[in-house]
Amino acid sequence: MSKKPNPELIDSDNPEWTAEMFAQAKRISDLPTSLQAKLRGRGPQKAPPKVSTTIRLSPDVVQAFRAAGDGWQTRIDLALKDWLRTHSQV
């Protein structure tokens, strides 16, 4: 028994693939080498990767940064960088 799709979830720009579409698809190894490289790699890292860590902060500090919306962890990082610039390092 097939269920009818929810019309609100149908994306006409990106339809679900049919068996015919799968049959016409090409493997990445069949594509030109230059296109394979573009599809496989994202290129060199533009900025050094950040280090994942666990840190304990006061609830009021976290609330204040989160209240400002998305990007609150980045803003904490910037605040700490600013603090490092203005204080001598031990």
Side-chain angles (χ1 to χ4, degrees):
M1 168 160 120
S2 84
K3 198 168 132 182
K4 287 189 176 183
N6 180 342
E8 291 181 18
L9 300 178
I10 294 175
D11 182 359
S12 60
D13 292 331
N14 297 296
E16 190 169 333
W17 275 39
T18 63
E20 184 180 325
M21 292 168 136
F22 276 106
Q24 292 177 353
K26 295 187 185 300
R27 295 188 178 280
I28 194 166
S29 59
D30 296 336
L31 299 174
T33 308
S34 59
L35 182 55
Q36 287 181 37
K38 287 180 183 177
L39 294 173
R40 283 198 171 124
R42 59 177 219 171
Q45 187 75 30
K46 293 182 179 171
K50 293 185 177 179
V51 176
S52 178
T53 186
T54 300
I55 184 171
R56 293 181 178 273
L57 302 170
S58 301
D60 54 331
V61 171
V62 175
Q63 281 179 336
F65 277 92
R66 279 188 172 168
D70 290 342
W72 64 273
Q73 291 171 318
T74 301
R75 287 191 299 278
I76 289 175
D77 184 57
L78 292 171
L80 290 170
K81 284 180 183 179
D82 185 51
W83 186 91
L84 286 173
R85 277 193 296 276
T86 59
H87 293 76
S88 63
Q89 295 184 9
V90 178

